[in-house]
Amino acid sequence: MTARLESFVPAAAPQAVATPAPQAPSANTVAQREARRAAHEALLARWKAIVEAGGADEWAQAQLVSRGLAVGELDFSSASEKEKTAWKEKKKAEAAERRALGRQAHEAWKATHVGHLGAGVHWEEEGGSDKFDIAHREERARANGLPELGSAEVLAKALGLSVSKLRWFAFHREVDTGSHYISWGIPKRDGGTRTITSPKPELKEAQRWVLSNVVERLPVHGAAHGFVAGRSILTNALAHHSADVVVKVDLKDFFPSVTWRRVKGLLRKGGLPENTSTLLALMSTEAPREAVQFRGKTLYVAKGPRSLPQGAPTSPGITNALCLKLDKRLSALSKKLGFVYTRYADDLTFSWTKTKQPKARRAQGAPVAVLLARVKDVVESEGFRVHPEKTRVSRKGTRQQVTGLVVNRARDGVASARVPRDVVRRLRAAIHNRQKGKPGREGESLEQLKGMAAFVYMTDETKGRAFLKSLEQLEAREKEAAPKAP
């Protein structure tokens, strides 16, 4: 199950620990960066010259002529042995220079072309339309507000990358000597471990551009509340407040089930051409890998197909767009059976309220069994799986919790979504203990407590602001008590 709390910092809340000012790059770093930029621009200029010359062979011949290295034919029948020997030496020099020019032409080609993206990946440099294109693709792209990305060169420029760097990010290898991602595990509530796979800074920056300029422009259903502007765990929970029955269904292996080919299909359906969709799909996915030692080297071996990494900025947005049809079908099913439906990432929530039903249906009660059976069919037909051990049915009179918030009607009759009392008590006790000079629990940090306080602030501003103010005072006190650097 994916994490339920989105990052949240209220406007009136104190700021987090100050981030140190970024250090200016060293002179060596700047010089290296400028040298790489100049080398890349030289390659681009060379390829332009090759195209203008009519091809690599024509360009090479022109270069030989301009350098005085082109050797004409020799009439061997009338030439002396000395002339023949000299001609052969010149011919050898010409051949060596032609080979060097061929290598230079290939370097320029690689700087402006993708060429190949790994085993099992179809790639055509020219792109163009094919039988899998949707009708009126360009109109669909414009309707979705997608940028014109007709070639690898155009995409690389938009991302602020060279074509070779774009190819490097997208290239698929079953066995690789490095990785564009960093992975670590975090404990799950059921005792297991969730693997977080986060891209390294340069790839992450490129993925953020893809998220803002492509993924977030694709249509998303109104039932989706996770990672959508203006929606949150609070809006998701409020949709189910004061219900008589709340049904929660979890999708199993949500991100791993979205392979790079599914992402490519989504982008093509959104209006992007085949070649650009391939590059973006590969850039946004990664195979689960295992580090293996072989002959003194660390190799990263793929354990499965490329899929969405849990930790990449593009992954939640891609799943929201990909689940458009799933959300449509489940919304229609819920409406037919008298339920309200929302989805937060891989958490599907359905609620049934007796007073909102027609009189004929009230006496029959909530058709939970019918709902669950049909939800399973819809989910599987859309390429996902229901987690059988995480389906929960909460009825009126028991605690009904949706994305971490309690949605039962409050004692004063006010319909709301609120933080569970045990979480508030735990936070209050942790702050109180620190104020008395007692150490926090093992692994408990002020930043974690701030996150809990911001969680409370989201549903109760007065209480949350008081917690945040106390934590700010504790933070200031700990800074004063910290030993000064000599």
Side-chain angles (χ1 to χ4, degrees):
M1 187 178 295
T2 53
R4 285 170 170 64
L5 299 185
E6 294 179 282
S7 59
F8 176 83
V9 179
Q15 296 298 315
V17 178
T19 304
Q23 296 182 352
S26 65
N28 287 339
T29 303
V30 173
Q32 291 170 357
R33 192 178 299 160
E34 290 299 323
R36 287 195 297 268
R37 183 182 294 111
H40 179 64
E41 290 176 353
L43 289 173
L44 296 181
R46 185 187 303 164
W47 182 252
K48 182 180 179 182
I50 290 171
V51 172
E52 291 174 349
D57 292 339
E58 292 79 3
W59 173 80
Q61 182 62 31
Q63 290 292 310
L64 291 170
V65 171
S66 67
R67 299 175 189 181
L69 297 175
V71 180
E73 296 300 322
L74 178 68
D75 185 359
F76 270 62
S77 62
S78 60
S80 65
E81 289 301 319
K82 185 177 181 180
E83 289 173 332
K84 290 178 182 178
T85 301
W87 183 87
K88 289 178 181 178
E89 290 300 321
K90 290 180 180 179
K91 205 67 178 173
K92 286 181 181 179
E94 180 194 46
E97 187 65 19
R98 191 181 294 276
R99 287 193 295 272
L101 290 169
R103 289 192 293 271
Q104 293 176 23
H106 183 63
E107 288 176 359
W109 184 89
K110 285 175 64 178
T112 53
H113 296 74
V114 171
H116 182 53
L117 288 170
V121 180
H122 170 76
W123 172 257
E124 288 186 6
E125 200 72 47
E126 298 303 322
S129 60
D130 61 24
K131 65 180 181 180
F132 296 108
D133 271 340
I134 60 171
H136 310 295
R137 180 188 65 76
E138 293 84 356
E139 287 82 349
R140 176 72 64 84
R142 283 194 292 270
N144 286 332
L146 301 183
E148 291 287 341
L149 301 171
S151 68
E153 193 170 1
V154 172
L155 175 60
K157 185 176 181 180
L159 291 168
L161 303 172
S162 64
V163 172
S164 56
K165 181 63 71 69
L166 174 61
R167 178 176 59 244
W168 185 51
F169 283 152
F171 203 96
H172 174 70
R173 293 181 177 87
E174 290 295 315
V175 179
D176 208 343
T177 55
S179 175
H180 297 302
Y181 292 82
I182 300 172
S183 297
W184 67 92
I186 59 174
K188 297 166 68 174
R189 280 193 277 181
D190 60 6
T193 301
R194 178 182 294 110
T195 299
I196 304 298
T197 304
S198 179
K200 293 178 180 177
E202 193 171 9
L203 176 57
K204 181 179 285 186
E205 191 63 29
Q207 289 181 347
R208 283 175 176 155
W209 186 94
V210 176
L211 176 66
S212 299
N213 295 276
V214 177
V215 175
E216 289 184 339
R217 300 186 182 188
L218 298 175
V220 174
H221 196 272
H225 286 258
F227 312 97
V228 179
R231 306 178 204 171
S232 64
I233 58 174
L234 179 59
T235 61
N236 184 65
L238 284 173
H240 306 283
H241 69 80
S242 307
D244 291 287
V245 180
V246 174
V247 180
K248 295 168 61 180
V249 176
D250 189 81
L251 300 183
K252 186 175 177 63
D253 298 328
F254 187 51
F255 287 151
S257 64
V258 181
T259 62
W260 78 268
R261 287 185 171 84
R262 292 184 72 178
V263 178
K264 177 180 176 179
L266 169 71
L267 297 175
R268 296 196 68 178
K269 187 176 180 181
L272 291 182
E274 193 273 341
N275 55 353
T276 304
S277 297
T278 300
L279 286 166
L280 291 178
L282 290 168
M283 263 186 61
S284 303
T285 56
E286 171 63 322
R289 295 186 181 273
E290 181 178 357
V292 176
Q293 296 297 321
F294 180 72
R295 294 180 179 177
K297 294 183 178 180
T298 301
L299 301 178
Y300 297 86
V301 182
K303 300 189 294 182
R306 293 181 77 100
S307 57
L308 294 179
Q310 186 164 336
T314 43
S315 295
I318 288 173
T319 54
N320 276 340
L322 189 68
C323 287
L324 177 63
K325 187 178 177 183
L326 171 71
D327 291 336
K328 284 182 178 179
R329 294 180 65 183
L330 291 180
S331 291
L333 171 64
S334 300
K335 186 176 181 180
K336 182 177 179 181
L337 297 177
F339 285 84
V340 173
Y341 163 71
T342 63
R343 180 181 58 82
Y344 190 97
D346 58 355
D347 289 342
L348 315 181
T349 306
F350 306 84
S351 61
W352 186 91
T353 306
K354 183 177 181 180
T355 56
K356 296 180 180 179
Q357 309 304 318
K359 290 184 178 180
R361 189 177 288 173
R362 292 182 188 180
Q364 298 173 0
V368 174
V370 176
L371 174 75
L372 291 175
R374 294 187 184 176
V375 165
K376 183 174 182 293
D377 291 341
V378 171
V379 166
E380 290 180 353
S381 68
E382 292 298 325
F384 296 100
R385 289 186 298 161
V386 170
H387 200 307
E389 299 175 1
K390 294 189 176 181
T391 298
R392 298 285 184 271
V393 180
S394 305
R395 300 186 182 276
K396 192 175 182 179
T398 63
R399 185 159 85 169
Q400 297 170 329
Q401 199 164 317
V402 177
T403 47
L405 299 174
V406 177
V407 295
N408 300 78
R409 183 177 291 274
R411 291 178 181 176
D412 57 6
V414 177
S416 64
R418 55 200 179 278
V419 177
R421 290 194 185 97
D422 57 331
V423 175
V424 177
R425 292 193 191 106
R426 190 163 67 248
L427 175 60
R428 184 181 289 113
I431 293 174
H432 177 75
N433 288 337
R434 285 177 180 260
Q435 288 172 335
K436 295 295 183 181
K438 298 179 181 179
R441 293 183 178 182
E442 184 178 354
E444 180 186 84
S445 66
L446 277 177
E447 288 302 313
Q448 290 174 326
L449 296 180
K450 282 183 182 180
M452 293 174 66
F455 185 35
V456 174
Y457 181 96
M458 184 170 51
T459 61
D460 189 331
E461 290 188 15
T462 303
K463 189 178 294 183
R465 187 179 289 107
F467 284 143
L468 286 165
K469 184 177 181 180
S470 297
L471 288 168
E472 184 184 53
Q473 293 169 349
L474 283 171
E475 186 176 47
R477 190 172 75 181
E478 288 188 4
K479 284 183 179 179
E480 289 178 2
K484 305 294 182 181

